[in-house]
Amino acid sequence: MNELHIWRHPKPVGAAGRCLGRTDLPVDPRKARRLAHRIRQHARRHGLPREILTSPLRRGREVGRWLRRWGWTHRIEPGLIELDFGTWDGRPWREIAWAEVAAWEADFAGHAPGGGESLDRLRERVAGVLVQLAAAGRPVLAVGHAGWMNALALHGRPGSPTAADWPAPPRHGAIRVATLL
């Protein structure tokens, strides 16, 4: 079956309390190795290809590097990168003005937080990546981010999501499987 198996990256070092999108924080090598091992086991159990796509950010890329050490093909897929939070990115949430957060909540899908990327734009990017991956005609394994995975969960739903529609972020290391059309 033509499916996408995507895992959320390991928790990055220094992320607690911060708005984290494209800020490229390091990840504990043991956690990256642990997730790589789980992906390898999943692929063996389900007869999946030994190829992994990752976000260009270290928290995804380091998992791919472990798999490459074990004989896998590792490719960076720029479209898997997390939402761009603009000027908010990397800042402690407590330093972001409540009025700015309220403006995002008021137009949750269309507003670009911190002047970065709107959720509508992220959903378009996810849709484009899905079309590209479907063209491969085989199962795809990937490591990505919570925002990307949440946009995937809402893929194909009509209209723009509200804050109430947006899923809770998947835990670090969680997997989501989606059928590629």
Side-chain angles (χ1 to χ4, degrees):
M1 182 177 276
N2 197 4
E3 293 177 327
L4 170 63
H5 301 247
I6 184 167
W7 288 262
R8 185 177 181 196
H9 61 78
K11 184 176 182 178
V13 176
R18 294 170 75 178
C19 174
L20 192 61
R22 296 186 178 182
T23 299
D24 199 9
L25 295 178
V27 66
D28 181 327
R30 293 169 299 181
K31 291 181 180 180
R33 184 176 190 264
R34 189 176 308 132
L35 180 56
H37 181 68
R38 287 181 48 221
I39 292 168
R40 186 171 63 169
Q41 287 179 319
H42 179 84
R44 282 182 188 155
R45 186 172 32 255
H46 298 284
L48 299 171
R50 293 170 38 103
E51 179 177 353
I52 190 78
L53 304 179
T54 69
S55 159
L57 298 176
R58 284 186 283 183
R59 49 198 192 258
R61 197 176 67 229
E62 291 302 314
V63 176
R65 289 179 66 192
W66 276 106
L67 289 164
R68 187 176 60 231
R69 288 178 189 142
W70 300 331
W72 284 49
T73 300
H74 171 217
R75 284 191 310 122
I76 302 292
E77 172 49 61
L80 289 173
I81 199 164
E82 181 61 287
L83 180 76
D84 179 359
F85 281 101
T87 60
W88 295 10
D89 209 313
R91 292 176 50 200
W93 280 104
R94 69 181 182 281
E95 291 180 7
I96 299 170
W98 177 247
E100 291 182 54
V101 175
W104 184 25
E105 287 179 342
D107 182 16
F108 189 65
H111 184 80
E117 179 180 31
S118 72
L119 293 176
D120 280 341
R121 178 63 195 110
L122 172 62
R123 290 178 73 205
E124 291 170 8
R125 181 162 49 87
V126 167
V129 170
L130 293 176
V131 167
Q132 174 189 335
L133 297 179
R138 65 182 184 283
V140 176
L141 289 80
V143 177
H145 303 275
W148 203 98
M149 291 172 74
N150 283 347
L152 173 65
L154 297 177
H155 180 68
R157 287 193 188 175
S160 293
T162 67
D165 299 325
W166 199 248
R171 64 179 171 70
H172 293 280
I175 183 175
R176 180 164 285 144
V177 180
T179 301
L180 296 170
L181 301 175

